[in-house]
Amino acid sequence: MSTEPLKQDSYDIAIIGAGPAGMSAAVTACAAGASVVVLDDKPHAGGQIYRGVDHSPLETPDTLGEDYIKGQALTKAFAQSGAEHLRGVNVWHVGDNGEVLLSEQGKTRRLTATQLIIANGAMERPFPIPGWHLPGVMSAGSAQVMLKSDGLVIDDAVFVGTGPLLYLIVAQYIRLGVPVKAVVDTTPKENYLNAAKVGLGVARMPKMLLKGLGLLREIRRAGVPFYRCAEALEVLGDEQATGIRFSAGGQHHEIEASRVFLHQGVIPNLNITRALGLEHHWCEQQLCWKPNLNVWGRSSLAHVAVVGDASGIVGADGAHIMGRIAALMQLESLGFIDKDQRNEQARAGFAQLASMQRFRAFIDALYRPMDAHRIPQQDATVVCRCEERSVADLKAGFALGGKLPDQLKSQTRCGMGPCQGRMCGHTVSELLGQWNEQPVSEIGYYRLRSPMRLLALEELGAFSELAPSHANAKPEVQS
Amino acid sequence: MSQLKTSDVLIIGGGIQGASAAYHLAQRGVCVAVVEKDTVSRHASGVNAGGVRLLGRHVAEVELSLESMRRWHQLDDELDADTGFRARSLINIAADEKDLETLAQREVQMHQLGYFHEVRLDQPELRERLPFVAPHCVGGVVSESDGYAIPFHATQAFCHAAKRLGAQFYEGQQVEQIRRVGDSWLVTTATERFQAEHLINCAGAWGDLVSVMMGDNVPMSYSAPMLMITTRMPHFATPVVGAVSRPLSFKQFENGTVLIGGGAKGFADRTANRTRLDYKLIANGAKNAIDFFPIMRTASVNRMWSGLEGYMPDNLPVLGKSARAEKAYHAFAFSAHGFQLGPVVGEVLADLVTTGETRFDLEPLRVNRYERKVL
Ligand SMILES: Cc1cc2nc3c(=O)[nH]c(=O)nc-3n(C[C@H](O)[C@H](O)[C@H](O)COP(=O)(O)OP(=O)(O)OC[C@H]3O[C@@H](n4cnc5c(N)ncnc54)[C@H](O)[C@@H]3O)c2cc1C
């Protein structure tokens, strides 16, 4: 038996996630004198966007673009902030009582904090088309991760989908001289019209948008075959992806490829906010669940704030500002600053956030993923990858009474696997909305629990010895 | 307020007991309705450990449990459904000499009562049945008929069978008031009114509240037993496993996942339908599993959860007629082992309603067994 005492630390503020939102919250909170701990599963700060920005495996990281390099200023401020940064730790439980349990080098450690900021970011939206579960199919985001953290690239891949991240990774590949077989763009025609309706005058088009257009030009100029308005997608292959079939411009196409990268935007990663029992709502503009928050980022639990993409997709700049605003709110709750100071220091941030909203609405309209790519209609399409449940399996479960996500999960095991429903939750909400002929908001989402990720039984067992147990388990009547 | 809904029998609670009672009554041509405040199988009956256990039953429950076990073995055919039932046997492991002594005493008692379904195992026999058991385990006891089922599927199976026979289920209806009006019961929820000649309380962890509305006071407590399940592992255990004196219980399903329980309890908020886990206690269960089966060292926990359950001080359910009211019956507070009893409980309740009696001795389970003697 280990005699090592449990490290038990308490902080004013615990921040989960060291991306732009979490780092800026930490910088703000530390500057006012709060004790802050930042927990992140990566070895370095930066989050998804600034992943490895200070530790790039690439000789010329600036090929990744100015938006990436810009992260260095924030990571530097964060490094100097005085916040305690726990790297490479996996948070597996966040309690509504301020308790955080995390795995650190195979051991569970317990922290408590008066205030919590959840800044664990977004994940890629599932792309449930026929064959998306086959080996050889990956997300464009994982291509980025490989590139940013390991300097790895894959030749002759086909990139399929819509959204800025998709074009960015393709452009980065091109700059690095990696051959790209084709880009199959699934942005539907009507999106251009709907985006135009948002009424963003060209004169007011932000720099970022022009940059996006620049990426597309860059891709076409490089001579990469580019198909627009693709639909009826199907990844080919039995055991392994062998290609992709789709129709575009009134024609059927088939491209041979052993590597297919899919991407259709990002959505908040709900596993912490849901397991914490925060209230959520369905956002029709972004087609995802979001925690209910006030303007400061405060959730339905008074001491918990959610910021950045974890709160709804806001982008790196929005995340940066939200992190700061939420930190100011919590500093006031903790008594480090007063209400006037809080309001004064947040004013500029609120103004910036407001001016970003139009642009966000434009982006959301332009890259809104098609219904057919979110709500699979073919019986054979896999919805839950962990338990290999297809649309047909779910239909059968629905017929047996699985009308809501939890019932369907109990009925079919859809969502019971190690990803904790991350990869099927939104699909299930939307499918059930369609089958029940009810708005998705009425359907809800899975009831989630800790652990947020797989936890070694041995680590958990050791925790029983480390933890000061208040009640000794006595043998119970058997179940 | 919508139209009055009338039936011969009204059942409060859509867990396995309520659904089974509805099935048995409908089968006899009785017009029956079930009101459930959430959804059928939402609580203990849908999230329990699925243990179908006869082994180690309190003597007051053995007859009921024996009959229920007989029913489980043919339940899929009877209900025309897949309850997930698998007969795998259940072994309780003895970790030391003291445990062996406990088992020897139990054997004497059971044999005296004429029960021979629990068979002691010596160390080699234990090892033959559970090759991966830790070397310090010295023996055990087995019940061959035992096994597991999939709780949500089994409860749904009763519900579907009942519906096919004409039973009505009303979900999202919380009973708020119960009144005796003339010869019948009048039961109201926020939006509906129900009238029935007979009333059955199958309200699980809320059973005491419903019981009070019917006139019977009981010292029931409630709690949130916790469970965890691992990712798939290589097959290493066929029987369901428990321990004589340690909080351990687990079973490996056909897909390789291992469900670990053991009776440790979390925190329960039954008004909010919420439970919280006690991670220190559940960690203890993890440690026990590894102590008894070192192969579990390689396991990863995928999910943890708990459900709400009602307990009586003697860990026996309340089953039988109301002490105060006519044509009123209880079946609640199954104290974390009511899933296995589901089939027989429905039958008992149907007998009580239609004939006024049952062949089982329900004296030890009567609702007023804790009532203070009048001085
Ligand atoms: C984690 C856990 C593990 C377990 N493991 C096992 C096991 O392995 N083997 C075993 O045999 N047993 C086990 N049990 C016990 C078993 O699950 C229960 O004893 C059994 O399911 C009880 O069934 P029930 O129908 O009485 O209760 P429930 O399933 O709780 O059903 C009662 C229903 O009544 C409803 N209700 C309550 N009040 C009202 C109201 N006012 N109006 C309308 N509806 C109302 C509730 O919403 C609920 O759905 C376990 C229990 C738990 C929690």
Side-chain angles (χ1 to χ4, degrees), chain A residues 11-81:
Chain A
Y11 298 85
D12 292 324
I13 302 180
I15 299 172
I16 299 172
M23 288 191 292
S24 90
V27 169
T28 307
C30 286
S35 63
V36 176
V37 63
V38 180
L39 314 165
D40 197 282
D41 55 2
K42 307 294 176 320
H44 306 294
Q48 297 294 351
I49 175 145
Y50 305 139
R51 182 190 292 267
V53 69
D54 294 327
H55 304 82
S56 179
L58 304 175
E59 273 172 34
T60 51
D62 30 320
T63 48
L64 298 185
E66 175 189 326
D67 281 335
Y68 177 61
I69 297 305
K70 176 168 105 184
Q72 282 168 352
L74 185 55
T75 51
K76 196 166 160 206
F78 173 62
Q80 292 167 354
S81 68

Coordinates of all heavy atoms in Angstrom, one line a residue, chain A residues 11-81:
Chain A
Y11 N -7.6 26.2 -4.9 CA -7.2 27.4 -5.7 C -8.5 28.3 -5.7 O -9.6 27.8 -5.5 CB -6.9 27.0 -7.1 CG -5.7 26.1 -7.2 CD1 -5.8 24.8 -7.1 CD2 -4.4 26.7 -7.5 CE1 -4.7 23.9 -7.2 CE2 -3.3 25.9 -7.6 CZ -3.4 24.5 -7.4 OH -2.3 23.7 -7.5
D12 N -8.2 29.6 -6.0 CA -9.3 30.5 -6.2 C -10.0 30.1 -7.5 O -11.3 30.0 -7.6 CB -8.8 31.9 -6.4 CG -8.3 32.5 -5.1 OD1 -8.8 32.1 -4.0 OD2 -7.3 33.2 -5.1
I13 N -9.3 29.8 -8.6 CA -9.9 29.5 -9.9 C -9.1 28.4 -10.5 O -7.9 28.4 -10.6 CB -9.8 30.8 -10.8 CG1 -10.4 32.0 -10.2 CG2 -10.4 30.5 -12.2 CD1 -10.4 33.2 -11.0
A14 N -9.9 27.4 -10.9 CA -9.3 26.3 -11.8 C -9.8 26.5 -13.2 O -11.0 26.7 -13.4 CB -9.7 24.9 -11.2
I15 N -8.9 26.4 -14.1 CA -9.3 26.6 -15.5 C -9.0 25.3 -16.3 O -7.9 24.8 -16.2 CB -8.5 27.8 -16.1 CG1 -8.8 29.1 -15.4 CG2 -8.8 28.0 -17.6 CD1 -7.9 30.3 -15.7
I16 N -10.0 24.8 -17.0 CA -9.7 23.6 -17.7 C -9.6 24.0 -19.2 O -10.5 24.5 -19.9 CB -10.9 22.6 -17.6 CG1 -11.0 22.3 -16.1 CG2 -10.7 21.4 -18.4 CD1 -12.2 21.5 -15.7
G17 N -8.4 23.8 -19.7 CA -8.1 24.1 -21.1 C -7.1 25.2 -21.2 O -7.3 26.3 -20.6
A18 N -6.0 25.0 -21.9 CA -5.0 26.1 -22.1 C -4.9 26.6 -23.5 O -3.9 26.7 -24.1 CB -3.6 25.6 -21.6
G19 N -6.1 26.8 -24.1 CA -6.2 27.5 -25.4 C -6.3 28.9 -25.2 O -6.1 29.4 -24.1
P20 N -6.7 29.7 -26.2 CA -6.8 31.1 -26.1 C -7.7 31.6 -25.0 O -7.4 32.5 -24.2 CB -7.3 31.6 -27.4 CG -7.3 30.4 -28.3 CD -6.9 29.2 -27.6
A21 N -8.9 30.9 -24.8 CA -9.8 31.3 -23.8 C -9.2 31.0 -22.4 O -9.2 31.9 -21.5 CB -11.1 30.5 -23.9
G22 N -8.7 29.9 -22.2 CA -8.2 29.5 -20.8 C -6.9 30.3 -20.5 O -6.8 30.8 -19.4
M23 N -6.1 30.5 -21.5 CA -4.8 31.3 -21.2 C -5.2 32.8 -20.9 O -4.6 33.3 -19.9 CB -3.9 31.3 -22.4 CG -3.2 29.9 -22.6 SD -1.9 30.0 -23.8 CE -2.8 30.2 -25.3
S24 N -6.1 33.4 -21.6 CA -6.4 34.8 -21.4 C -7.1 34.9 -20.0 O -6.9 35.9 -19.3 CB -7.1 35.4 -22.5 OG -8.5 35.3 -22.3
A25 N -7.9 33.9 -19.7 CA -8.6 34.0 -18.3 C -7.5 33.9 -17.3 O -7.5 34.6 -16.3 CB -9.6 32.8 -18.2
A26 N -6.5 33.0 -17.5 CA -5.5 32.9 -16.5 C -4.6 34.1 -16.3 O -4.3 34.6 -15.2 CB -4.6 31.7 -16.8
V27 N -4.3 34.7 -17.4 CA -3.5 36.0 -17.4 C -4.3 37.1 -16.6 O -3.7 37.7 -15.8 CB -3.2 36.4 -18.9 CG1 -2.6 37.8 -18.9 CG2 -2.2 35.4 -19.5
T28 N -5.5 37.2 -17.0 CA -6.4 38.2 -16.3 C -6.5 37.9 -14.8 O -6.3 38.8 -13.9 CB -7.8 38.3 -16.9 OG1 -7.6 38.4 -18.3 CG2 -8.6 39.4 -16.3
A29 N -6.8 36.7 -14.5 CA -7.0 36.3 -13.0 C -5.7 36.5 -12.2 O -5.8 37.0 -11.1 CB -7.6 34.9 -13.0
C30 N -4.6 36.1 -12.8 CA -3.3 36.1 -12.0 C -2.9 37.6 -11.8 O -2.4 37.9 -10.7 CB -2.2 35.4 -12.8 SG -2.4 33.6 -12.7
A31 N -3.2 38.4 -12.8 CA -2.8 39.8 -12.7 C -3.5 40.5 -11.5 O -2.9 41.4 -10.9 CB -3.1 40.6 -14.0
A32 N -4.6 40.0 -11.2 CA -5.4 40.6 -10.0 C -5.0 39.9 -8.7 O -5.6 40.3 -7.7 CB -6.9 40.6 -10.3
G33 N -4.2 38.9 -8.8 CA -3.7 38.3 -7.5 C -4.4 37.0 -7.2 O -4.2 36.5 -6.1
A34 N -5.3 36.5 -8.0 CA -5.9 35.2 -7.7 C -5.0 34.0 -7.8 O -4.0 34.1 -8.6 CB -7.2 35.0 -8.6
S35 N -5.2 33.0 -7.1 CA -4.4 31.8 -7.3 C -5.1 30.9 -8.3 O -6.3 30.6 -8.2 CB -4.3 31.0 -6.0 OG -5.5 30.5 -5.5
V36 N -4.4 30.6 -9.3 CA -5.0 30.0 -10.5 C -4.2 28.7 -10.9 O -3.0 28.6 -10.9 CB -4.9 31.0 -11.7 CG1 -5.4 30.3 -13.0 CG2 -5.7 32.2 -11.4
V37 N -5.0 27.6 -11.2 CA -4.4 26.5 -11.8 C -5.0 26.2 -13.2 O -6.2 26.4 -13.3 CB -4.6 25.2 -10.9 CG1 -6.0 24.8 -10.7 CG2 -3.8 24.0 -11.4
V38 N -4.2 25.9 -14.1 CA -4.7 25.6 -15.5 C -4.4 24.2 -15.8 O -3.2 23.7 -15.7 CB -4.1 26.6 -16.5 CG1 -4.6 26.3 -17.9 CG2 -4.4 28.0 -16.1
L39 N -5.4 23.4 -16.2 CA -5.3 22.0 -16.5 C -5.4 21.7 -18.0 O -6.4 22.2 -18.6 CB -6.3 21.2 -15.8 CG -6.5 21.6 -14.3 CD1 -7.8 21.0 -13.8 CD2 -5.4 21.1 -13.5
D40 N -4.5 21.0 -18.6 CA -4.6 20.8 -20.0 C -3.9 19.4 -20.3 O -3.0 19.0 -19.7 CB -3.9 21.9 -20.8 CG -4.3 21.9 -22.3 OD1 -3.8 21.0 -23.0 OD2 -5.2 22.7 -22.6
D41 N -4.5 18.7 -21.3 CA -4.0 17.4 -21.6 C -2.8 17.4 -22.5 O -2.3 16.4 -22.8 CB -5.2 16.5 -22.1 CG -5.9 17.0 -23.3 OD1 -5.5 18.1 -23.8 OD2 -6.8 16.4 -23.8
K42 N -2.5 18.6 -23.0 CA -1.3 18.6 -24.0 C -0.1 19.0 -23.2 O -0.1 19.5 -22.1 CB -1.6 19.7 -25.0 CG -2.9 19.6 -25.8 CD -3.0 18.3 -26.6 CE -4.3 18.1 -27.3 NZ -5.5 18.5 -26.5
P43 N 1.1 18.6 -23.8 CA 2.3 18.9 -23.2 C 2.6 20.4 -23.1 O 3.5 20.9 -22.3 CB 3.4 18.2 -24.0 CG 2.7 17.8 -25.3 CD 1.3 17.8 -25.0
H44 N 2.0 21.2 -24.0 CA 2.3 22.7 -24.1 C 1.0 23.4 -24.2 O 0.0 22.9 -24.7 CB 3.2 23.0 -25.3 CG 4.4 22.2 -25.4 ND1 5.4 22.3 -24.5 CD2 4.8 21.2 -26.3 CE1 6.4 21.4 -24.8 NE2 6.0 20.8 -25.9
A45 N 1.1 24.7 -23.7 CA -0.1 25.5 -23.8 C -0.3 25.9 -25.3 O 0.6 25.8 -26.1 CB 0.1 26.8 -23.0
G46 N -1.6 26.3 -25.6 CA -1.8 26.7 -27.0 C -3.2 26.3 -27.4 O -3.8 27.0 -28.3
G47 N -3.7 25.2 -26.9 CA -5.0 24.7 -27.4 C -4.9 24.2 -28.8 O -3.8 23.9 -29.3
Q48 N -6.0 24.1 -29.5 CA -6.0 23.5 -30.8 C -5.4 24.5 -31.8 O -4.5 24.1 -32.6 CB -7.5 23.3 -31.3 CG -8.2 22.3 -30.5 CD -7.6 20.9 -30.7 OE1 -6.8 20.6 -31.5 NE2 -8.1 19.9 -29.9
I49 N -5.7 25.8 -31.7 CA -5.3 26.7 -32.7 C -3.8 27.0 -32.6 O -3.1 27.0 -33.6 CB -6.1 28.0 -32.7 CG1 -5.5 29.0 -33.7 CG2 -6.2 28.7 -31.4 CD1 -6.5 29.8 -34.4
Y50 N -3.3 27.2 -31.3 CA -1.9 27.5 -31.2 C -1.1 26.3 -30.7 O -0.1 26.4 -30.0 CB -1.7 28.6 -30.1 CG -2.5 29.9 -30.5 CD1 -3.2 30.6 -29.5 CD2 -2.6 30.3 -31.8 CE1 -3.9 31.7 -29.7 CE2 -3.3 31.5 -32.1 CZ -4.0 32.1 -31.0 OH -4.7 33.3 -31.3
R51 N -1.6 25.1 -31.1 CA -1.0 23.9 -30.7 C 0.5 23.9 -31.1 O 0.9 24.1 -32.2 CB -1.6 22.7 -31.3 CG -1.1 21.3 -31.0 CD -1.7 20.3 -31.9 NE -3.1 20.1 -31.6 CZ -3.6 19.2 -30.8 NH1 -2.8 18.4 -30.1 NH2 -4.9 19.1 -30.6
G52 N 1.4 23.7 -30.1 CA 2.8 23.6 -30.3 C 3.4 24.9 -30.9 O 4.5 24.8 -31.5
V53 N 2.8 26.0 -30.7 CA 3.3 27.2 -31.4 C 4.7 27.6 -30.9 O 5.5 28.1 -31.7 CB 2.3 28.4 -31.3 CG1 2.2 28.9 -29.8 CG2 2.6 29.5 -32.2
D54 N 5.0 27.3 -29.7 CA 6.4 27.5 -29.1 C 7.3 26.4 -29.3 O 8.5 26.4 -28.9 CB 6.3 27.9 -27.7 CG 5.6 29.2 -27.4 OD1 5.7 30.1 -28.3 OD2 4.9 29.3 -26.4
H55 N 6.8 25.2 -29.7 CA 7.6 24.0 -29.8 C 7.3 23.3 -31.1 O 7.2 22.1 -31.1 CB 7.2 23.1 -28.6 CG 7.4 23.7 -27.3 ND1 6.4 24.5 -26.8 CD2 8.4 23.7 -26.4 CE1 6.8 25.0 -25.6 NE2 8.0 24.5 -25.3
S56 N 7.3 24.0 -32.2 CA 6.9 23.4 -33.5 C 8.0 22.4 -33.9 O 9.1 22.7 -33.9 CB 6.7 24.5 -34.5 OG 6.3 23.8 -35.7
P57 N 7.5 21.3 -34.4 CA 8.5 20.3 -35.0 C 8.9 20.8 -36.4 O 9.8 20.2 -37.0 CB 7.7 19.0 -35.1 CG 6.2 19.5 -35.2 CD 6.1 20.8 -34.4
L58 N 8.2 21.8 -36.9 CA 8.5 22.2 -38.3 C 9.7 23.3 -38.3 O 9.8 24.0 -37.3 CB 7.3 22.9 -38.9 CG 6.0 22.1 -39.0 CD1 4.9 22.9 -39.5 CD2 6.2 20.8 -39.8
E59 N 10.5 23.2 -39.4 CA 11.6 24.2 -39.4 C 11.0 25.6 -39.7 O 11.6 26.6 -39.3 CB 12.6 23.8 -40.5 CG 13.6 22.8 -40.0 CD 14.5 22.3 -41.2 OE1 14.7 23.0 -42.1 OE2 14.8 21.1 -41.1
T60 N 10.0 25.6 -40.4 CA 9.4 26.9 -40.8 C 7.9 27.0 -40.4 O 7.0 26.9 -41.2 CB 9.4 27.1 -42.3 OG1 8.8 25.9 -42.9 CG2 10.8 27.3 -42.9
P61 N 7.7 27.1 -39.1 CA 6.3 27.1 -38.6 C 5.5 28.3 -39.2 O 4.3 28.2 -39.2 CB 6.4 27.2 -37.1 CG 7.8 27.6 -36.8 CD 8.7 27.2 -38.0
D62 N 6.2 29.3 -39.7 CA 5.4 30.4 -40.2 C 4.6 30.0 -41.5 O 3.7 30.7 -41.9 CB 6.2 31.7 -40.4 CG 7.6 31.4 -40.8 OD1 8.2 30.5 -40.1 OD2 8.2 32.1 -41.6
T63 N 5.0 28.9 -42.1 CA 4.1 28.4 -43.2 C 2.7 28.1 -42.7 O 1.8 28.0 -43.5 CB 4.7 27.1 -43.9 OG1 5.0 26.2 -42.8 CG2 5.9 27.3 -44.7
L64 N 2.5 27.9 -41.4 CA 1.2 27.6 -40.9 C 0.3 28.9 -40.8 O -0.8 28.8 -40.5 CB 1.3 26.9 -39.5 CG 2.1 25.6 -39.5 CD1 2.0 25.0 -38.1 CD2 1.5 24.6 -40.6
G65 N 0.9 30.0 -41.1 CA 0.1 31.2 -41.2 C 0.3 32.2 -40.0 O 0.6 31.8 -38.9
E66 N -0.1 33.4 -40.3 CA 0.1 34.5 -39.3 C -0.8 34.3 -38.1 O -0.4 34.6 -37.0 CB -0.3 35.7 -40.1 CG -0.3 37.0 -39.4 CD -1.0 38.1 -40.4 OE1 -0.7 38.0 -41.6 OE2 -1.7 38.9 -39.9
D67 N -2.0 33.7 -38.3 CA -3.0 33.5 -37.2 C -2.4 32.6 -36.2 O -2.8 32.6 -35.0 CB -4.3 33.0 -37.7 CG -5.1 34.1 -38.3 OD1 -4.9 35.3 -37.9 OD2 -6.0 33.8 -39.2
Y68 N -1.6 31.7 -36.7 CA -1.0 30.7 -35.8 C 0.2 31.3 -35.0 O 0.2 31.3 -33.8 CB -0.5 29.5 -36.7 CG 0.3 28.4 -35.9 CD1 -0.4 27.7 -34.9 CD2 1.6 28.1 -36.2 CE1 0.3 26.7 -34.3 CE2 2.2 27.1 -35.6 CZ 1.6 26.4 -34.6 OH 2.2 25.3 -34.0
I69 N 1.0 32.0 -35.7 CA 2.2 32.6 -35.1 C 1.8 33.6 -34.0 O 2.4 33.8 -33.0 CB 3.1 33.2 -36.1 CG1 3.6 32.1 -37.1 CG2 4.3 34.0 -35.5 CD1 4.3 31.0 -36.4
K70 N 0.7 34.3 -34.3 CA 0.2 35.3 -33.4 C 0.0 34.7 -32.0 O 0.0 35.5 -31.0 CB -1.2 35.7 -34.0 CG -2.0 36.7 -33.2 CD -3.1 37.2 -34.1 CE -4.4 36.6 -33.7 NZ -5.6 36.9 -34.5
G71 N -0.3 33.4 -31.9 CA -0.5 32.8 -30.6 C 0.7 32.9 -29.6 O 0.6 32.8 -28.4
Q72 N 1.9 33.2 -30.2 CA 3.1 33.3 -29.4 C 3.0 34.4 -28.3 O 3.5 34.2 -27.2 CB 4.3 33.5 -30.2 CG 4.8 32.2 -30.9 CD 5.8 32.4 -32.0 OE1 6.1 33.5 -32.4 NE2 6.4 31.3 -32.5
A73 N 2.3 35.5 -28.6 CA 2.2 36.6 -27.7 C 1.4 36.1 -26.4 O 1.8 36.4 -25.3 CB 1.5 37.8 -28.3
L74 N 0.4 35.4 -26.7 CA -0.5 34.9 -25.6 C 0.2 33.8 -24.8 O 0.2 33.8 -23.6 CB -1.8 34.5 -26.1 CG -2.9 34.1 -25.1 CD1 -3.1 35.2 -24.1 CD2 -4.2 33.7 -25.8
T75 N 0.8 32.9 -25.5 CA 1.5 31.8 -24.7 C 2.6 32.4 -23.9 O 2.8 31.9 -22.8 CB 2.1 30.7 -25.7 OG1 2.9 31.4 -26.7 CG2 1.0 29.9 -26.3
K76 N 3.2 33.5 -24.4 CA 4.3 34.1 -23.6 C 3.7 34.8 -22.3 O 4.2 34.6 -21.2 CB 5.0 35.1 -24.5 CG 6.3 35.6 -23.9 CD 7.1 36.3 -24.9 CE 8.2 37.1 -24.3 NZ 8.6 38.3 -25.0
A77 N 2.6 35.5 -22.5 CA 2.0 36.2 -21.4 C 1.5 35.2 -20.4 O 1.6 35.4 -19.2 CB 0.8 37.1 -21.9
F78 N 1.0 34.1 -20.9 CA 0.5 33.0 -20.0 C 1.7 32.4 -19.2 O 1.6 32.2 -18.0 CB -0.2 31.9 -20.9 CG -0.6 30.7 -20.1 CD1 -1.5 30.8 -19.0 CD2 -0.1 29.5 -20.4 CE1 -1.9 29.7 -18.3 CE2 -0.4 28.4 -19.7 CZ -1.3 28.5 -18.6
A79 N 2.8 32.1 -19.9 CA 4.0 31.5 -19.2 C 4.4 32.4 -18.1 O 4.9 31.9 -17.1 CB 5.1 31.3 -20.2
Q80 N 4.3 33.7 -18.3 CA 4.8 34.7 -17.3 C 3.7 35.1 -16.2 O 4.0 35.8 -15.3 CB 5.3 36.0 -18.0 CG 6.5 35.7 -18.8 CD 6.9 36.8 -19.7 OE1 6.1 37.8 -19.9 NE2 8.0 36.8 -20.4
S81 N 2.6 34.5 -16.4 CA 1.4 35.0 -15.6 C 1.5 34.6 -14.1 O 0.9 35.2 -13.2 CB 0.1 34.5 -16.1 OG 0.0 33.1 -16.0

